[in-house]
Amino acid sequence: MTIRLYDTSARQTRDFTPLVPGCVSIYLCGATVQAAPHIGHIRSGLNFDIMQRWFSYRGYDVTFIRNVTDIDDKIIAKSADQNRPWWSIGYENERAFNSGYDVLGCLPPTYEPRATGHITEMIEMMRGLIERGHAYEADGNVYFDVRSYDGYLELSNQELDNLLQPSAPDETGKRDKRDFAMWKAAKPGEPSWETPWGRGRPGWHLECSAMAHKYLGRAFDIHGGGIDLIFPHHENEIAQAKAFGDDFANFWVHNHWVTMANEKMSKSLGNSVLVSEMVKAWRPIVLRYYLGTPHYRSAIEYSEEALREAESAFARIEGFVQRVVEKAGPVEPAAEVPPAFAEAMDDDLGVPQALAIIHTTVRQGNSALAADDKEAAVARLAEVRAMLGVLGLDPLDPHWAGESDRGEDLHGVVDTLVRLVLDQRQSARERKDWAAADAIRDQLQQSGLVIEDSPTGPRWTLGPR
């Protein structure tokens, strides 16, 4: 068994060998909490949740760090616009992110550090970099000298002479316009902390280098994030950490975006779809299926049609699960997933190929049900539950139990009314009035209900929208 991952820094898929046998350490760039999350934000957390689950399934002890950036320019700007404390905005949106992760079934990280809780570690890193000649103070700012680190831009594969480094107007005193800010001098009315170089606040890149060092040490296995973070964020993280003396990440793993009209989903572009709104319109488990089943390195082009297709595909899986449970009672997940599923997941988390194995197994299970082969149907369901569990999509998992409870009172009312209509249909069938029976069935289907005749009588489910 060898897990292989695409390493952005190597530009190829590599065999994964942990730095510490039996253990996996992962740092994921988490939320910048200036606003509530859209589905593009949550996709990253969901992709790395699947990674965490697969490593755990393979027997590794996983340490998973997902940070919170709770201070940055956008948060400060919103604080001024809304006349609210900056920390109030950050905390409100941090809770919204955690709610989004939870509603989509993401496991909690081992630790979820906030940037503002690690100012001491940032000061220590800046002091070390200044002493080693990699950083300097100017006008109360502290900058990293990019020419002092030979490996700069190897991750993003750029040439230093052609580099356009993002820079703010208040970043004064730079020796080279390509140097980047690790610490920003305090401005009136903005949050600030005391340092040997005056009061100020951290730069985005410094935060993650310091927190990764704090929680995972000088070297760790995997650093993750969206492809938009490769430059400047991850490039600058590497420069700071390695110039400080850390080996830093052994693998760099990046997920692609959720796009709309082929553009990255973004608040600033006005094309974002909030998680809080999506889960009102779509079942969270369906939304997880939609966001989590494409390969993590593939873009997802958002559309309601694609969501409806995901809903229909998951309904086929869920329908099989329900039918077997109705026939045979509770079925525990198998101890191991099928070898073909494991092979797909080991190959750079090949969820689309793994999902194909699930659907094949569901078809086999449905054939067993049709043949009244209860033993085979139960065996297939055990396999399906094991595979769905790895992807966080098992409808029988306790996490999703509350989902079926949503609107349970209404479900009971609908069930009573549908039963009355089904009784009328059954009476028509008994008197061999097939036209009336078919008309009743068709009317129910037009209302969005799917009617199935089973050995225990007719059953209804909601059809795809």
PDB file of all heavy atoms in Angstrom, residues 144-179:
ATOM      1  N   PHE A 144      10.811  41.167   4.353  1.00  0.00           N
ATOM      2  CA  PHE A 144      11.684  40.050   3.999  1.00  0.00           C
ATOM      3  C   PHE A 144      12.450  40.424   2.737  1.00  0.00           C
ATOM      4  O   PHE A 144      11.861  40.874   1.746  1.00  0.00           O
ATOM      5  CB  PHE A 144      10.868  38.779   3.750  1.00  0.00           C
ATOM      6  CG  PHE A 144      11.716  37.561   3.520  1.00  0.00           C
ATOM      7  CD1 PHE A 144      12.118  36.773   4.584  1.00  0.00           C
ATOM      8  CD2 PHE A 144      12.139  37.220   2.235  1.00  0.00           C
ATOM      9  CE1 PHE A 144      12.916  35.652   4.379  1.00  0.00           C
ATOM     10  CE2 PHE A 144      12.945  36.112   2.017  1.00  0.00           C
ATOM     11  CZ  PHE A 144      13.332  35.316   3.091  1.00  0.00           C
ATOM     12  N   ASP A 145      13.758  40.232   2.776  1.00  0.00           N
ATOM     13  CA  ASP A 145      14.635  40.526   1.642  1.00  0.00           C
ATOM     14  C   ASP A 145      14.639  39.320   0.705  1.00  0.00           C
ATOM     15  O   ASP A 145      15.298  38.311   0.964  1.00  0.00           O
ATOM     16  CB  ASP A 145      16.044  40.804   2.164  1.00  0.00           C
ATOM     17  CG  ASP A 145      17.045  41.124   1.062  1.00  0.00           C
ATOM     18  OD1 ASP A 145      16.665  41.029  -0.133  1.00  0.00           O
ATOM     19  OD2 ASP A 145      18.201  41.445   1.384  1.00  0.00           O
ATOM     20  N   VAL A 146      13.890  39.391  -0.397  1.00  0.00           N
ATOM     21  CA  VAL A 146      13.704  38.220  -1.248  1.00  0.00           C
ATOM     22  C   VAL A 146      15.003  37.781  -1.916  1.00  0.00           C
ATOM     23  O   VAL A 146      15.175  36.597  -2.237  1.00  0.00           O
ATOM     24  CB  VAL A 146      12.606  38.470  -2.306  1.00  0.00           C
ATOM     25  CG1 VAL A 146      11.263  38.704  -1.635  1.00  0.00           C
ATOM     26  CG2 VAL A 146      12.966  39.614  -3.236  1.00  0.00           C
ATOM     27  N   ARG A 147      15.934  38.711  -2.138  1.00  0.00           N
ATOM     28  CA  ARG A 147      17.193  38.343  -2.791  1.00  0.00           C
ATOM     29  C   ARG A 147      18.121  37.581  -1.840  1.00  0.00           C
ATOM     30  O   ARG A 147      19.104  36.986  -2.283  1.00  0.00           O
ATOM     31  CB  ARG A 147      17.903  39.586  -3.331  1.00  0.00           C
ATOM     32  CG  ARG A 147      17.185  40.203  -4.529  1.00  0.00           C
ATOM     33  CD  ARG A 147      18.041  41.265  -5.205  1.00  0.00           C
ATOM     34  NE  ARG A 147      17.407  41.784  -6.403  1.00  0.00           N
ATOM     35  CZ  ARG A 147      17.482  41.231  -7.608  1.00  0.00           C
ATOM     36  NH1 ARG A 147      18.161  40.104  -7.753  1.00  0.00           N
ATOM     37  NH2 ARG A 147      16.893  41.776  -8.649  1.00  0.00           N
ATOM     38  N   SER A 148      17.788  37.579  -0.561  1.00  0.00           N
ATOM     39  CA  SER A 148      18.644  36.890   0.406  1.00  0.00           C
ATOM     40  C   SER A 148      18.381  35.390   0.455  1.00  0.00           C
ATOM     41  O   SER A 148      19.164  34.641   1.044  1.00  0.00           O
ATOM     42  CB  SER A 148      18.431  37.486   1.804  1.00  0.00           C
ATOM     43  OG  SER A 148      17.163  37.093   2.335  1.00  0.00           O
ATOM     44  N   TYR A 149      17.301  34.937  -0.165  1.00  0.00           N
ATOM     45  CA  TYR A 149      16.946  33.513  -0.115  1.00  0.00           C
ATOM     46  C   TYR A 149      16.967  32.950  -1.534  1.00  0.00           C
ATOM     47  O   TYR A 149      16.147  33.305  -2.387  1.00  0.00           O
ATOM     48  CB  TYR A 149      15.563  33.328   0.523  1.00  0.00           C
ATOM     49  CG  TYR A 149      15.053  31.906   0.459  1.00  0.00           C
ATOM     50  CD1 TYR A 149      15.750  30.877   1.101  1.00  0.00           C
ATOM     51  CD2 TYR A 149      13.909  31.593  -0.266  1.00  0.00           C
ATOM     52  CE1 TYR A 149      15.306  29.565   1.026  1.00  0.00           C
ATOM     53  CE2 TYR A 149      13.447  30.284  -0.342  1.00  0.00           C
ATOM     54  CZ  TYR A 149      14.149  29.275   0.302  1.00  0.00           C
ATOM     55  OH  TYR A 149      13.703  27.982   0.217  1.00  0.00           O
ATOM     56  N   ASP A 150      17.899  32.034  -1.796  1.00  0.00           N
ATOM     57  CA  ASP A 150      18.139  31.546  -3.156  1.00  0.00           C
ATOM     58  C   ASP A 150      16.967  30.760  -3.727  1.00  0.00           C
ATOM     59  O   ASP A 150      16.785  30.731  -4.956  1.00  0.00           O
ATOM     60  CB  ASP A 150      19.400  30.669  -3.188  1.00  0.00           C
ATOM     61  CG  ASP A 150      20.674  31.482  -2.984  1.00  0.00           C
ATOM     62  OD1 ASP A 150      20.634  32.703  -3.229  1.00  0.00           O
ATOM     63  OD2 ASP A 150      21.687  30.894  -2.572  1.00  0.00           O
ATOM     64  N   GLY A 151      16.173  30.114  -2.879  1.00  0.00           N
ATOM     65  CA  GLY A 151      15.101  29.265  -3.382  1.00  0.00           C
ATOM     66  C   GLY A 151      13.799  29.990  -3.646  1.00  0.00           C
ATOM     67  O   GLY A 151      12.781  29.341  -3.954  1.00  0.00           O
ATOM     68  N   TYR A 152      13.817  31.323  -3.559  1.00  0.00           N
ATOM     69  CA  TYR A 152      12.572  32.068  -3.724  1.00  0.00           C
ATOM     70  C   TYR A 152      12.005  31.895  -5.133  1.00  0.00           C
ATOM     71  O   TYR A 152      12.734  31.974  -6.116  1.00  0.00           O
ATOM     72  CB  TYR A 152      12.823  33.554  -3.435  1.00  0.00           C
ATOM     73  CG  TYR A 152      11.558  34.367  -3.312  1.00  0.00           C
ATOM     74  CD1 TYR A 152      10.586  34.041  -2.373  1.00  0.00           C
ATOM     75  CD2 TYR A 152      11.325  35.473  -4.125  1.00  0.00           C
ATOM     76  CE1 TYR A 152       9.426  34.780  -2.256  1.00  0.00           C
ATOM     77  CE2 TYR A 152      10.166  36.226  -4.014  1.00  0.00           C
ATOM     78  CZ  TYR A 152       9.214  35.863  -3.069  1.00  0.00           C
ATOM     79  OH  TYR A 152       8.053  36.597  -2.956  1.00  0.00           O
ATOM     80  N   LEU A 153      10.697  31.633  -5.188  1.00  0.00           N
ATOM     81  CA  LEU A 153       9.903  31.470  -6.417  1.00  0.00           C
ATOM     82  C   LEU A 153      10.015  30.086  -7.056  1.00  0.00           C
ATOM     83  O   LEU A 153       9.498  29.873  -8.153  1.00  0.00           O
ATOM     84  CB  LEU A 153      10.257  32.544  -7.458  1.00  0.00           C
ATOM     85  CG  LEU A 153      10.028  33.993  -7.032  1.00  0.00           C
ATOM     86  CD1 LEU A 153      10.403  34.938  -8.174  1.00  0.00           C
ATOM     87  CD2 LEU A 153       8.592  34.236  -6.604  1.00  0.00           C
ATOM     88  N   GLU A 154      10.646  29.128  -6.378  1.00  0.00           N
ATOM     89  CA  GLU A 154      10.711  27.779  -6.935  1.00  0.00           C
ATOM     90  C   GLU A 154       9.339  27.105  -6.956  1.00  0.00           C
ATOM     91  O   GLU A 154       9.053  26.317  -7.862  1.00  0.00           O
ATOM     92  CB  GLU A 154      11.704  26.926  -6.138  1.00  0.00           C
ATOM     93  CG  GLU A 154      13.156  27.298  -6.386  1.00  0.00           C
ATOM     94  CD  GLU A 154      14.131  26.421  -5.625  1.00  0.00           C
ATOM     95  OE1 GLU A 154      13.655  25.555  -4.832  1.00  0.00           O
ATOM     96  OE2 GLU A 154      15.350  26.585  -5.805  1.00  0.00           O
ATOM     97  N   LEU A 155       8.480  27.398  -5.986  1.00  0.00           N
ATOM     98  CA  LEU A 155       7.159  26.783  -5.951  1.00  0.00           C
ATOM     99  C   LEU A 155       6.304  27.266  -7.126  1.00  0.00           C
ATOM    100  O   LEU A 155       5.664  26.459  -7.818  1.00  0.00           O
ATOM    101  CB  LEU A 155       6.456  27.096  -4.632  1.00  0.00           C
ATOM    102  CG  LEU A 155       5.040  26.525  -4.469  1.00  0.00           C
ATOM    103  CD1 LEU A 155       5.090  25.003  -4.375  1.00  0.00           C
ATOM    104  CD2 LEU A 155       4.334  27.111  -3.256  1.00  0.00           C
ATOM    105  N   SER A 156       6.294  28.581  -7.358  1.00  0.00           N
ATOM    106  CA  SER A 156       5.457  29.143  -8.419  1.00  0.00           C
ATOM    107  C   SER A 156       6.162  29.202  -9.765  1.00  0.00           C
ATOM    108  O   SER A 156       5.558  29.599 -10.770  1.00  0.00           O
ATOM    109  CB  SER A 156       4.978  30.551  -8.025  1.00  0.00           C
ATOM    110  OG  SER A 156       6.079  31.395  -7.728  1.00  0.00           O
ATOM    111  N   ASN A 157       7.451  28.833  -9.775  1.00  0.00           N
ATOM    112  CA  ASN A 157       8.214  28.735 -11.022  1.00  0.00           C
ATOM    113  C   ASN A 157       8.237  30.062 -11.777  1.00  0.00           C
ATOM    114  O   ASN A 157       7.996  30.122 -12.984  1.00  0.00           O
ATOM    115  CB  ASN A 157       7.652  27.623 -11.907  1.00  0.00           C
ATOM    116  CG  ASN A 157       8.616  27.197 -13.002  1.00  0.00           C
ATOM    117  OD1 ASN A 157       9.830  27.294 -12.825  1.00  0.00           O
ATOM    118  ND2 ASN A 157       8.086  26.732 -14.120  1.00  0.00           N
ATOM    119  N   GLN A 158       8.558  31.146 -11.054  1.00  0.00           N
ATOM    120  CA  GLN A 158       8.666  32.471 -11.662  1.00  0.00           C
ATOM    121  C   GLN A 158      10.118  32.934 -11.667  1.00  0.00           C
ATOM    122  O   GLN A 158      10.972  32.398 -10.955  1.00  0.00           O
ATOM    123  CB  GLN A 158       7.835  33.484 -10.875  1.00  0.00           C
ATOM    124  CG  GLN A 158       6.346  33.197 -10.823  1.00  0.00           C
ATOM    125  CD  GLN A 158       5.607  34.298 -10.091  1.00  0.00           C
ATOM    126  OE1 GLN A 158       5.348  35.368 -10.625  1.00  0.00           O
ATOM    127  NE2 GLN A 158       5.275  34.038  -8.831  1.00  0.00           N
ATOM    128  N   GLU A 159      10.369  33.975 -12.450  1.00  0.00           N
ATOM    129  CA  GLU A 159      11.682  34.617 -12.471  1.00  0.00           C
ATOM    130  C   GLU A 159      11.617  35.885 -11.624  1.00  0.00           C
ATOM    131  O   GLU A 159      10.689  36.698 -11.780  1.00  0.00           O
ATOM    132  CB  GLU A 159      12.081  34.975 -13.906  1.00  0.00           C
ATOM    133  CG  GLU A 159      12.303  33.772 -14.809  1.00  0.00           C
ATOM    134  CD  GLU A 159      13.540  32.969 -14.427  1.00  0.00           C
ATOM    135  OE1 GLU A 159      14.449  33.564 -13.794  1.00  0.00           O
ATOM    136  OE2 GLU A 159      13.576  31.770 -14.743  1.00  0.00           O
ATOM    137  N   LEU A 160      12.593  36.070 -10.752  1.00  0.00           N
ATOM    138  CA  LEU A 160      12.584  37.212  -9.851  1.00  0.00           C
ATOM    139  C   LEU A 160      12.580  38.532 -10.613  1.00  0.00           C
ATOM    140  O   LEU A 160      11.889  39.486 -10.226  1.00  0.00           O
ATOM    141  CB  LEU A 160      13.796  37.151  -8.912  1.00  0.00           C
ATOM    142  CG  LEU A 160      13.863  38.232  -7.821  1.00  0.00           C
ATOM    143  CD1 LEU A 160      12.638  38.163  -6.919  1.00  0.00           C
ATOM    144  CD2 LEU A 160      15.140  38.103  -7.007  1.00  0.00           C
ATOM    145  N   ASP A 161      13.294  38.599 -11.700  1.00  0.00           N
ATOM    146  CA  ASP A 161      13.376  39.853 -12.450  1.00  0.00           C
ATOM    147  C   ASP A 161      12.029  40.249 -13.053  1.00  0.00           C
ATOM    148  O   ASP A 161      11.795  41.435 -13.334  1.00  0.00           O
ATOM    149  CB  ASP A 161      14.414  39.737 -13.567  1.00  0.00           C
ATOM    150  CG  ASP A 161      15.844  39.692 -13.028  1.00  0.00           C
ATOM    151  OD1 ASP A 161      16.037  40.111 -11.863  1.00  0.00           O
ATOM    152  OD2 ASP A 161      16.733  39.227 -13.754  1.00  0.00           O
ATOM    153  N   ASN A 162      11.140  39.267 -13.241  1.00  0.00           N
ATOM    154  CA  ASN A 162       9.821  39.550 -13.822  1.00  0.00           C
ATOM    155  C   ASN A 162       8.715  39.635 -12.771  1.00  0.00           C
ATOM    156  O   ASN A 162       7.542  39.775 -13.126  1.00  0.00           O
ATOM    157  CB  ASN A 162       9.450  38.454 -14.830  1.00  0.00           C
ATOM    158  CG  ASN A 162      10.446  38.358 -15.975  1.00  0.00           C
ATOM    159  OD1 ASN A 162      11.010  39.363 -16.388  1.00  0.00           O
ATOM    160  ND2 ASN A 162      10.661  37.145 -16.479  1.00  0.00           N
ATOM    161  N   LEU A 163       9.102  39.563 -11.512  1.00  0.00           N
ATOM    162  CA  LEU A 163       8.116  39.442 -10.438  1.00  0.00           C
ATOM    163  C   LEU A 163       7.356  40.745 -10.210  1.00  0.00           C
ATOM    164  O   LEU A 163       7.944  41.825 -10.158  1.00  0.00           O
ATOM    165  CB  LEU A 163       8.810  39.038  -9.133  1.00  0.00           C
ATOM    166  CG  LEU A 163       7.910  38.884  -7.911  1.00  0.00           C
ATOM    167  CD1 LEU A 163       6.935  37.733  -8.113  1.00  0.00           C
ATOM    168  CD2 LEU A 163       8.742  38.664  -6.651  1.00  0.00           C
ATOM    169  N   LEU A 164       6.046  40.627 -10.067  1.00  0.00           N
ATOM    170  CA  LEU A 164       5.195  41.729  -9.629  1.00  0.00           C
ATOM    171  C   LEU A 164       4.653  41.368  -8.249  1.00  0.00           C
ATOM    172  O   LEU A 164       3.679  40.622  -8.130  1.00  0.00           O
ATOM    173  CB  LEU A 164       4.051  41.953 -10.629  1.00  0.00           C
ATOM    174  CG  LEU A 164       4.463  42.397 -12.031  1.00  0.00           C
ATOM    175  CD1 LEU A 164       3.232  42.448 -12.937  1.00  0.00           C
ATOM    176  CD2 LEU A 164       5.157  43.750 -11.990  1.00  0.00           C
ATOM    177  N   GLN A 165       5.301  41.833  -7.212  1.00  0.00           N
ATOM    178  CA  GLN A 165       4.911  41.494  -5.842  1.00  0.00           C
ATOM    179  C   GLN A 165       3.759  42.395  -5.400  1.00  0.00           C
ATOM    180  O   GLN A 165       3.861  43.629  -5.495  1.00  0.00           O
ATOM    181  CB  GLN A 165       6.098  41.708  -4.903  1.00  0.00           C
ATOM    182  CG  GLN A 165       5.849  41.358  -3.447  1.00  0.00           C
ATOM    183  CD  GLN A 165       6.001  39.878  -3.167  1.00  0.00           C
ATOM    184  OE1 GLN A 165       5.008  39.162  -3.123  1.00  0.00           O
ATOM    185  NE2 GLN A 165       7.230  39.420  -3.000  1.00  0.00           N
ATOM    186  N   PRO A 166       2.637  41.831  -4.922  1.00  0.00           N
ATOM    187  CA  PRO A 166       1.565  42.680  -4.387  1.00  0.00           C
ATOM    188  C   PRO A 166       2.099  43.574  -3.271  1.00  0.00           C
ATOM    189  O   PRO A 166       2.862  43.136  -2.411  1.00  0.00           O
ATOM    190  CB  PRO A 166       0.554  41.657  -3.847  1.00  0.00           C
ATOM    191  CG  PRO A 166       0.856  40.397  -4.586  1.00  0.00           C
ATOM    192  CD  PRO A 166       2.333  40.400  -4.824  1.00  0.00           C
ATOM    193  N   SER A 167       1.724  44.830  -3.305  1.00  0.00           N
ATOM    194  CA  SER A 167       2.252  45.780  -2.324  1.00  0.00           C
ATOM    195  C   SER A 167       1.213  46.841  -2.028  1.00  0.00           C
ATOM    196  O   SER A 167       0.476  47.278  -2.915  1.00  0.00           O
ATOM    197  CB  SER A 167       3.531  46.433  -2.862  1.00  0.00           C
ATOM    198  OG  SER A 167       4.117  47.270  -1.897  1.00  0.00           O
ATOM    199  N   ALA A 168       1.147  47.268  -0.757  1.00  0.00           N
ATOM    200  CA  ALA A 168       0.211  48.308  -0.336  1.00  0.00           C
ATOM    201  C   ALA A 168       0.903  49.666  -0.347  1.00  0.00           C
ATOM    202  O   ALA A 168       2.129  49.750  -0.185  1.00  0.00           O
ATOM    203  CB  ALA A 168      -0.337  47.993   1.045  1.00  0.00           C
ATOM    204  N   PRO A 169       0.138  50.757  -0.515  1.00  0.00           N
ATOM    205  CA  PRO A 169       0.745  52.096  -0.575  1.00  0.00           C
ATOM    206  C   PRO A 169       1.524  52.470   0.690  1.00  0.00           C
ATOM    207  O   PRO A 169       2.479  53.252   0.621  1.00  0.00           O
ATOM    208  CB  PRO A 169      -0.465  53.021  -0.757  1.00  0.00           C
ATOM    209  CG  PRO A 169      -1.529  52.150  -1.343  1.00  0.00           C
ATOM    210  CD  PRO A 169      -1.312  50.802  -0.768  1.00  0.00           C
ATOM    211  N   ASP A 170       1.106  51.920   1.847  1.00  0.00           N
ATOM    212  CA  ASP A 170       1.758  52.297   3.100  1.00  0.00           C
ATOM    213  C   ASP A 170       3.008  51.468   3.384  1.00  0.00           C
ATOM    214  O   ASP A 170       3.625  51.624   4.444  1.00  0.00           O
ATOM    215  CB  ASP A 170       0.774  52.162   4.262  1.00  0.00           C
ATOM    216  CG  ASP A 170       0.193  50.769   4.381  1.00  0.00           C
ATOM    217  OD1 ASP A 170       0.292  49.998   3.410  1.00  0.00           O
ATOM    218  OD2 ASP A 170      -0.351  50.443   5.447  1.00  0.00           O
ATOM    219  N   GLU A 171       3.404  50.594   2.466  1.00  0.00           N
ATOM    220  CA  GLU A 171       4.603  49.776   2.680  1.00  0.00           C
ATOM    221  C   GLU A 171       5.823  50.586   2.221  1.00  0.00           C
ATOM    222  O   GLU A 171       6.366  50.397   1.129  1.00  0.00           O
ATOM    223  CB  GLU A 171       4.489  48.440   1.945  1.00  0.00           C
ATOM    224  CG  GLU A 171       3.404  47.531   2.526  1.00  0.00           C
ATOM    225  CD  GLU A 171       3.276  46.204   1.805  1.00  0.00           C
ATOM    226  OE1 GLU A 171       4.118  45.914   0.920  1.00  0.00           O
ATOM    227  OE2 GLU A 171       2.347  45.443   2.116  1.00  0.00           O
ATOM    228  N   THR A 172       6.249  51.511   3.072  1.00  0.00           N
ATOM    229  CA  THR A 172       7.349  52.427   2.744  1.00  0.00           C
ATOM    230  C   THR A 172       8.675  51.895   3.274  1.00  0.00           C
ATOM    231  O   THR A 172       8.712  51.080   4.190  1.00  0.00           O
ATOM    232  CB  THR A 172       7.078  53.807   3.343  1.00  0.00           C
ATOM    233  OG1 THR A 172       6.959  53.692   4.775  1.00  0.00           O
ATOM    234  CG2 THR A 172       5.786  54.393   2.789  1.00  0.00           C
ATOM    235  N   GLY A 173       9.747  52.361   2.674  1.00  0.00           N
ATOM    236  CA  GLY A 173      11.083  52.028   3.165  1.00  0.00           C
ATOM    237  C   GLY A 173      11.663  50.744   2.614  1.00  0.00           C
ATOM    238  O   GLY A 173      12.693  50.270   3.112  1.00  0.00           O
ATOM    239  N   LYS A 174      11.058  50.189   1.583  1.00  0.00           N
ATOM    240  CA  LYS A 174      11.587  48.945   1.023  1.00  0.00           C
ATOM    241  C   LYS A 174      12.926  49.181   0.317  1.00  0.00           C
ATOM    242  O   LYS A 174      13.092  50.167  -0.399  1.00  0.00           O
ATOM    243  CB  LYS A 174      10.596  48.351   0.016  1.00  0.00           C
ATOM    244  CG  LYS A 174       9.395  47.669   0.621  1.00  0.00           C
ATOM    245  CD  LYS A 174       8.576  46.999  -0.488  1.00  0.00           C
ATOM    246  CE  LYS A 174       7.369  46.271   0.071  1.00  0.00           C
ATOM    247  NZ  LYS A 174       6.605  45.580  -0.993  1.00  0.00           N
ATOM    248  N   ARG A 175      13.833  48.235   0.474  1.00  0.00           N
ATOM    249  CA  ARG A 175      15.082  48.285  -0.268  1.00  0.00           C
ATOM    250  C   ARG A 175      14.878  47.828  -1.714  1.00  0.00           C
ATOM    251  O   ARG A 175      15.609  48.232  -2.620  1.00  0.00           O
ATOM    252  CB  ARG A 175      16.128  47.390   0.395  1.00  0.00           C
ATOM    253  CG  ARG A 175      16.504  47.819   1.815  1.00  0.00           C
ATOM    254  CD  ARG A 175      17.422  46.785   2.449  1.00  0.00           C
ATOM    255  NE  ARG A 175      17.739  47.124   3.835  1.00  0.00           N
ATOM    256  CZ  ARG A 175      18.370  46.307   4.677  1.00  0.00           C
ATOM    257  NH1 ARG A 175      18.747  45.101   4.256  1.00  0.00           N
ATOM    258  NH2 ARG A 175      18.599  46.675   5.913  1.00  0.00           N
ATOM    259  N   ASP A 176      13.914  46.941  -1.889  1.00  0.00           N
ATOM    260  CA  ASP A 176      13.596  46.391  -3.211  1.00  0.00           C
ATOM    261  C   ASP A 176      12.078  46.288  -3.275  1.00  0.00           C
ATOM    262  O   ASP A 176      11.451  45.777  -2.340  1.00  0.00           O
ATOM    263  CB  ASP A 176      14.239  45.013  -3.375  1.00  0.00           C
ATOM    264  CG  ASP A 176      14.099  44.448  -4.783  1.00  0.00           C
ATOM    265  OD1 ASP A 176      12.973  44.484  -5.333  1.00  0.00           O
ATOM    266  OD2 ASP A 176      15.094  43.940  -5.335  1.00  0.00           O
ATOM    267  N   LYS A 177      11.476  46.756  -4.354  1.00  0.00           N
ATOM    268  CA  LYS A 177      10.020  46.762  -4.444  1.00  0.00           C
ATOM    269  C   LYS A 177       9.422  45.363  -4.377  1.00  0.00           C
ATOM    270  O   LYS A 177       8.233  45.181  -4.105  1.00  0.00           O
ATOM    271  CB  LYS A 177       9.578  47.443  -5.736  1.00  0.00           C
ATOM    272  CG  LYS A 177      10.022  46.740  -7.006  1.00  0.00           C
ATOM    273  CD  LYS A 177       9.566  47.498  -8.252  1.00  0.00           C
ATOM    274  CE  LYS A 177       9.991  46.787  -9.539  1.00  0.00           C
ATOM    275  NZ  LYS A 177       9.559  47.517 -10.749  1.00  0.00           N
ATOM    276  N   ARG A 178      10.260  44.326  -4.616  1.00  0.00           N
ATOM    277  CA  ARG A 178       9.767  42.951  -4.562  1.00  0.00           C
ATOM    278  C   ARG A 178       9.806  42.350  -3.165  1.00  0.00           C
ATOM    279  O   ARG A 178       9.267  41.271  -2.937  1.00  0.00           O
ATOM    280  CB  ARG A 178      10.551  42.072  -5.540  1.00  0.00           C
ATOM    281  CG  ARG A 178      10.249  42.412  -7.000  1.00  0.00           C
ATOM    282  CD  ARG A 178      11.327  41.921  -7.934  1.00  0.00           C
ATOM    283  NE  ARG A 178      12.569  42.647  -7.721  1.00  0.00           N
ATOM    284  CZ  ARG A 178      13.573  42.715  -8.605  1.00  0.00           C
ATOM    285  NH1 ARG A 178      13.449  42.098  -9.763  1.00  0.00           N
ATOM    286  NH2 ARG A 178      14.668  43.380  -8.336  1.00  0.00           N
ATOM    287  N   ASP A 179      10.457  43.016  -2.222  1.00  0.00           N
ATOM    288  CA  ASP A 179      10.437  42.555  -0.838  1.00  0.00           C
ATOM    289  C   ASP A 179       9.003  42.612  -0.317  1.00  0.00           C
ATOM    290  O   ASP A 179       8.212  43.469  -0.720  1.00  0.00           O
ATOM    291  CB  ASP A 179      11.340  43.428   0.037  1.00  0.00           C
ATOM    292  CG  ASP A 179      12.812  43.296  -0.334  1.00  0.00           C
ATOM    293  OD1 ASP A 179      13.155  42.333  -1.054  1.00  0.00           O
ATOM    294  OD2 ASP A 179      13.600  44.166   0.082  1.00  0.00           O
TER     295      ASP A 179
END
